[in-house]
Amino acid sequence: MVATILVVEDEREIAQLVRDYLERAGFGTTWAGDGDRAVEQVRNGRPDLIVLDLGLPGRDGLDVIREVRALGQTPVVILTARGEETDRIVGLELGADDYIVKPFSPREVVARVRAVLRRAAGPDDDRRVLRRGTMEIDIPRMRVIVDGRQIELTATEFQLLVTLARRPGQVFTRGQLLDAVRGDAFEGYERAIDAHIKNVRRKIESDSAKPMFIQTVYGVGYRFAEE
Ligand code: CA
């Protein structure tokens, strides 16, 4: 089945360029020029992934992410201008899966979209359920249960959790975690990992200030607690 990518960008030339490259790479595309139309399309068209420019007229990109996350788990790749670091972090904290900095090469967009879709589909070598204390991670079903409660994670958060939980006690640097969730390593952006970890903790830990599952290793990175 051909995956459909919704491109949300008010600048028509950029939108067209991105669509051309995605279509050449074998994806179907649709377009929305503002935030309201984007949300409308997510509601009705159910795209497989959204490429979302944060600089939109009217309803802004961050607000669109909030709305999209309220509707479901559709993967989101955000486009940001250089220097808009805060927006990027906020975007990731709101649940965007990845980001691309403008000016970008259209090839980079295609590679990121592929990587995020692959992540969303889950690695096909996994047919296992990991049990870690009160947590159960059903890898094929992309399902996490803590204390009998099902936890909703984005594709990126899930991948991050699985990477850590596969090797309890092993310390992963932010760079390693970035590689693990990206698949394709472009420019490193290690603070993005902190934003994702913060999200995962908020969802799986009963007290994020005293995490029982994912521990911070100061100056190095993170590790999953040993039992
Ligand atoms: Ca724009």
Side-chain angles (χ1 to χ4, degrees):
M1 210 182 75
V2 176
T4 301
I5 315 300
L6 168 60
V7 177
V8 186
E9 165 66 88
D10 55 308
E11 288 165 74
R12 279 176 170 275
E13 299 85 53
I14 296 179
Q16 196 53 53
L17 185 72
V18 170
R19 293 184 70 182
D20 286 348
Y21 268 78
L22 288 170
E23 285 175 10
R24 227 171 288 168
F27 296 108
T29 69
T30 57
W31 172 73
D34 62 52
D36 283 329
R37 267 173 253 183
V39 171
E40 201 55 38
Q41 284 211 34
V42 173
R43 210 171 262 138
N44 302 326
R46 298 184 176 276
D48 296 292
L49 183 144
I50 305 162
V51 174
L52 173 70
D53 181 36
L54 288 187
L56 294 171
R59 179 183 210 153
D60 85 345
L62 294 175
D63 195 41
V64 174
I65 300 174
R66 264 183 219 108
E67 192 72 31
V68 167
R69 277 291 157 270
L71 291 170
Q73 301 297 316
T74 313
V76 177
V77 176
I78 53 182
L79 302 176
T80 64
R82 209 165 282 285
E84 286 175 350
E85 190 174 293
T86 313
D87 278 358
R88 216 170 297 157
I89 297 283
V90 173
L92 291 168
E93 286 180 347
L94 289 173
D97 294 89
D98 207 346
Y99 66 88
I100 298 168
V101 180
K102 288 179 172 182
F104 50 80
S105 77
R107 242 172 6 115
E108 184 184 355
V109 177
V110 172
R112 288 287 172 85
V113 164
R114 277 210 183 105
V116 171
L117 281 174
R118 199 162 50 227
R119 237 188 283 158
D124 50 17
D125 58 333
D126 284 309
R127 299 278 180 268
R128 308 203 293 138
V129 177
L130 301 177
R131 290 197 173 76
R132 301 282 182 264
T134 56
M135 182 187 296
E136 187 182 284
I137 308 172
D138 185 334
I139 298 175
R141 291 193 180 75
M142 278 189 72
R143 204 162 59 187
V144 178
I145 292 170
V146 179
D147 284 326
R149 189 169 56 96
Q150 185 159 334
I151 310 290
E152 296 297 329
L153 296 177
T154 67
T156 301
E157 291 162 7
F158 184 80
Q159 192 59 44
L160 205 49
L161 178 63
V162 168
T163 300
L164 290 163
R166 271 204 187 105
R167 295 187 170 79
Q170 180 177 329
V171 179
F172 291 86
T173 66
R174 290 175 179 79
Q176 287 170 322
L177 292 172
L178 197 64
D179 287 348
V181 297
R182 274 238 168 105
D184 303 68
F186 285 95
E187 48 172 332
Y189 196 70
E190 301 184 353
R191 275 215 279 156
I193 291 298
D194 295 339
H196 287 305
I197 292 282
K198 198 173 151 200
N199 281 343
V200 175
R201 275 182 174 153
R202 188 168 43 77
K203 294 175 181 180
I204 66 171
E205 304 279 0
S206 49
D207 180 0
S208 309
K210 292 179 193 138
M212 287 177 54
F213 295 108
I214 298 177
Q215 304 169 330
T216 301
V217 182
Y218 289 101
V220 185
Y222 298 95
R223 77 175 152 226
F224 200 93
E226 285 178 286
E227 283 172 52

